[in-house]
Amino acid sequence: MIKKTFLALIVLFVMVFGGDFEDGVAAYNAGDYQKAAVLFEKAAGRGDVDAQNNLGVMYENGKGVEQDYQKAAGFFRKAAEQGDADAQYNLGVMYEYGKGVRQNYQKAVEFYRRAADQGIAEAQRILGAMYELGKGVTQDYPKAAGCYRNAAEQGDADAQYKLGIMYDHGRGVKQDYPKAAECYRKAADQGIAEAQTNLGSMYLDGQGVRQDYQKAAELFLKAAGQGHATAQTILGLMYEYGKGVKQDYLKAAEYYRKAADQGIVEVQSILGAMYAHGKGVKQDYLKAAEYYRKAADQGIAEAQTNLGSMYLDGHGVKQDYQKAAALFRKAAGQGDARAQTILGVMYEQGQGVAQDDQKAAKCYRKAANQGYAMAQINLGIMYENGRGVNQDYQKAAEYYRKAADRGIAMAQTKLGDIYLDGRGVQQDYQKAAKLFRKAAEQGDADAQYKLGMMHANGQGVEEDELKVYHYWMMAAMQGHETAQKKLNIFCKQHPIACK
């Protein structure tokens, strides 16, 4: 907690007893702290409360005298008992932190309250914090808000920020976003980085203020310039996606790096991805692995998955399937669907782990139940082929359909096959053709070949030589070997259609 410096107190002092106090002020201002201490000691001995308080500050800070918290507390107590508000506040600090006295939150509250009642803003703010946290008093949010308000009305920036939080979250007061924004603004104007960040977030979300990305960015820039990690993180996101600022991957990476270097683990993971993909920075797998590892070691599932992928591919690290599997297992245990899916593939192929179709199916099911399309397809294949599970075409169709409904071409083709053959569902050429067409339009070569075949046979669609040629040609151009062979035969039999 910030408290008045000795110099600030000096400016306010008025000479009460003789010239010792006044001479002490002059000595202090001249840099002769030892002489100042001697003169203050004389004035303090005559009961001068300002001298007693100042001498307490000098003993607390070891300025002009040997640092001695007990003596500091003793002088603060003498002045406090005479009703000096500054000394009461200072003694409260000593009791709160156990400096020169035995730590005692109740005593701290007692002296903070005395100073607060005399209008000392710092004491009002700290008393508010004591009520908010339940330190030395029963936790009481309304009283905390009242104390913060008293200090805020005197212009105390930290109290304005604290009161803003109370209004923001409805603690001790009725939730009121406009009032929260007002409090944050007052504190932000005084340079409180946390308030600048919170007010920026309100402009970002349009909460309590009219949504304004540019104003949000301005506030985050101010807070980021003071080293506020959250502001740096959000600013990185704004530059990455061009919200309120011109999209700039270089600046995004710059702010992410600042936040990452302060230990923000989520940002370390993001920065790892920037290096992995060369986004805003020169592609560097070594740096990507470095940042992924920092986040992975602190339990960030996405980073564990990404680092696992690097071990799988040997990018930035030596290829190591076992380390990859270990990382995927950690992320999978946290519910990361991508990690569960890749781990399933590794069990299915026996890569870095003992081959085990049942474990593969179990991994796929966890990810599939979270809506992860690739896992739904893989689990559908296992049900279709009876690998790791009992063969069940209906379940295969069920999982293919889930992914197909999300527009995944591979799933549309697989489900089309099920309808084409009538396995687990009633045979339906029209549905099969419709599914193949959707996948073919996305460039799926197998679907293009099969749709061409249906047009050749008039199954669910009209016979059409031109469409046969069109779809087989598209598939053949992608290297589909069966389509290439069929196309060669077709063009010999139907030369006009192939012109």
Side-chain angles (χ1 to χ4, degrees):
M1 294 293 180
I2 299 170
K3 67 176 187 178
K4 290 185 180 180
T5 64
F6 178 82
L7 190 57
L9 291 170
I10 292 293
V11 175
L12 300 175
F13 290 157
V14 178
M15 185 179 72
V16 179
F17 294 98
D20 290 330
F21 179 73
E22 187 179 52
D23 291 343
V25 171
Y28 185 92
N29 290 336
D32 191 342
Y33 303 126
Q34 290 181 325
K35 182 178 180 181
V38 171
L39 291 165
F40 286 143
E41 189 101 41
K42 290 180 180 179
R46 293 195 296 270
D48 186 320
V49 293
D50 291 330
Q52 291 167 342
N53 184 59
N54 284 355
L55 202 53
V57 173
M58 294 186 80
Y59 272 110
E60 184 182 4
N61 297 324
K63 207 159 191 178
V65 292
E66 187 176 342
Q67 190 177 54
D68 189 322
Y69 291 138
Q70 288 183 322
K71 285 188 176 180
F75 281 110
F76 288 145
R77 183 173 285 103
K78 288 179 179 179
E81 287 172 354
Q82 294 189 67
D84 186 79
D86 292 323
Q88 291 166 345
Y89 164 75
N90 288 338
L91 189 55
V93 172
M94 303 296 276
Y95 272 113
E96 183 179 0
Y97 295 101
K99 291 167 70 174
V101 292
R102 187 175 180 180
Q103 190 177 51
N104 188 321
Y105 293 137
Q106 290 176 321
K107 284 271 186 190
V109 167
E110 175 191 335
F111 285 104
Y112 284 145
R113 187 178 288 112
R114 290 184 188 181
D117 289 344
Q118 293 193 66
I120 301 298
E122 294 93 330
Q124 293 167 340
R125 169 172 36 84
I126 297 176
L127 186 59
M130 303 291 273
Y131 274 114
E132 185 178 2
L133 300 174
K135 281 174 72 174
V137 289
T138 302
Q139 190 176 54
D140 190 322
Y141 290 136
K143 284 187 178 179
C147 290
Y148 288 144
R149 187 178 293 107
N150 289 337
E153 287 172 354
Q154 293 192 67
D156 186 287
D158 289 319
Q160 291 164 343
Y161 163 66
K162 289 284 191 180
L163 186 59
I165 292 176
M166 303 295 274
Y167 276 115
D168 200 351
H169 299 286
R171 287 208 304 250
V173 291
K174 185 178 179 181
Q175 191 175 53
D176 189 323
Y177 294 130
K179 283 190 177 179
E182 179 187 339
C183 291
Y184 286 149
R185 185 174 292 106
K186 288 177 179 178
D189 288 345
Q190 294 192 65
I192 302 299
E194 291 83 358
Q196 292 165 342
T197 301
N198 287 4
L199 183 58
S201 296
M202 297 191 87
Y203 273 111
L204 201 61
D205 299 331
Q207 202 171 53
V209 292
R210 186 176 178 180
Q211 192 175 53
D212 189 322
Y213 294 139
Q214 289 182 320
K215 283 189 177 178
E218 288 171 10
L219 286 157
F220 291 135
L221 278 165
K222 289 179 181 178
Q226 296 187 64
H228 195 278
T230 301
Q232 291 166 342
T233 301
I234 300 172
L235 201 53
L237 289 166
M238 294 184 80
Y239 273 112
E240 183 176 1
Y241 296 102
K243 275 198 169 185
V245 291
K246 187 177 178 181
Q247 191 176 51
D248 189 325
Y249 295 134
L250 285 170
K251 285 192 175 179
E254 174 192 336
Y255 282 107
Y256 284 147
R257 189 179 296 105
K258 289 178 178 179
D261 290 347
Q262 291 193 64
I264 305 300
V265 291
E266 295 82 2
V267 183
Q268 290 169 341
S269 183
I270 294 172
L271 191 57
M274 301 285 278
Y275 275 110
H277 300 290
K279 197 173 177 182
V281 291
K282 186 178 179 181
Q283 190 177 52
D284 189 326
Y285 290 131
L286 286 172
K287 279 194 176 287
E290 176 191 335
Y291 280 107
Y292 282 149
R293 186 173 288 106
K294 286 179 180 180
D297 288 346
Q298 294 182 72
I300 301 300
E302 185 179 10
Q304 292 166 342
T305 301
N306 288 339
L307 185 58
S309 295
M310 297 194 83
Y311 274 110
L312 200 60
D313 300 329
H315 284 159
V317 292
K318 186 178 179 180
Q319 191 175 53
D320 189 321
Y321 294 139
Q322 289 181 322
K323 283 187 177 179
L327 285 158
F328 291 137
R329 195 175 287 111
K330 286 179 180 179
Q334 295 189 67
D336 187 285
R338 184 161 65 98
Q340 291 165 343
T341 303
I342 300 173
L343 188 58
V345 173
M346 295 185 80
Y347 274 117
E348 195 173 353
Q349 297 178 353
Q351 205 174 44
V353 292
Q355 200 279 335
D356 191 320
D357 286 337
Q358 289 183 323
K359 285 187 177 180
K362 186 177 180 181
C363 289
Y364 290 148
R365 185 174 288 105
K366 287 179 180 179
N369 290 341
Q370 293 187 68
Y372 198 74
M374 199 64 235
Q376 292 167 340
I377 294 169
N378 288 356
L379 187 56
I381 292 171
M382 298 199 85
Y383 273 113
E384 186 176 356
N385 298 319
R387 289 187 59 185
V389 292
N390 292 327
Q391 191 175 53
D392 189 325
Y393 292 126
Q394 285 183 320
K395 280 202 174 282
E398 174 190 334
Y399 282 106
Y400 288 150
R401 186 174 291 108
K402 287 178 179 180
D405 288 345
R406 295 177 62 191
I408 306 301
M410 184 180 178
Q412 292 165 341
T413 302
K414 289 286 186 184
L415 186 58
D417 283 334
I418 293 281
Y419 276 109
L420 184 63
D421 298 332
R423 290 174 296 156
V425 295
Q426 186 175 346
Q427 191 176 52
D428 190 323
Y429 292 141
Q430 289 182 325
K431 282 187 177 179
K434 185 177 180 181
L435 285 158
F436 289 146
R437 186 174 294 108
K438 287 181 178 179
E441 288 171 354
Q442 294 186 66
D444 187 284
D446 201 35
Q448 291 164 348
Y449 163 70
K450 288 172 181 176
L451 187 56
M453 184 63 75
M454 295 191 81
H455 276 292
N457 298 327
Q459 290 176 313
V461 291
E462 74 282 3
E463 286 188 40
D464 190 322
E465 292 178 355
L466 290 176
K467 287 185 177 178
V468 172
Y469 172 75
H470 170 72
Y471 286 114
W472 281 355
M473 176 59 77
M474 289 174 69
M477 289 175 67
Q478 293 191 70
H480 195 286
E481 292 182 4
T482 306
Q484 290 169 345
K485 292 176 183 177
K486 288 280 188 180
L487 187 63
N488 286 333
I489 297 169
F490 177 81
C491 285
K492 288 176 183 177
Q493 296 173 345
H494 307 86
I496 294 174
C498 296
K499 285 185 178 179

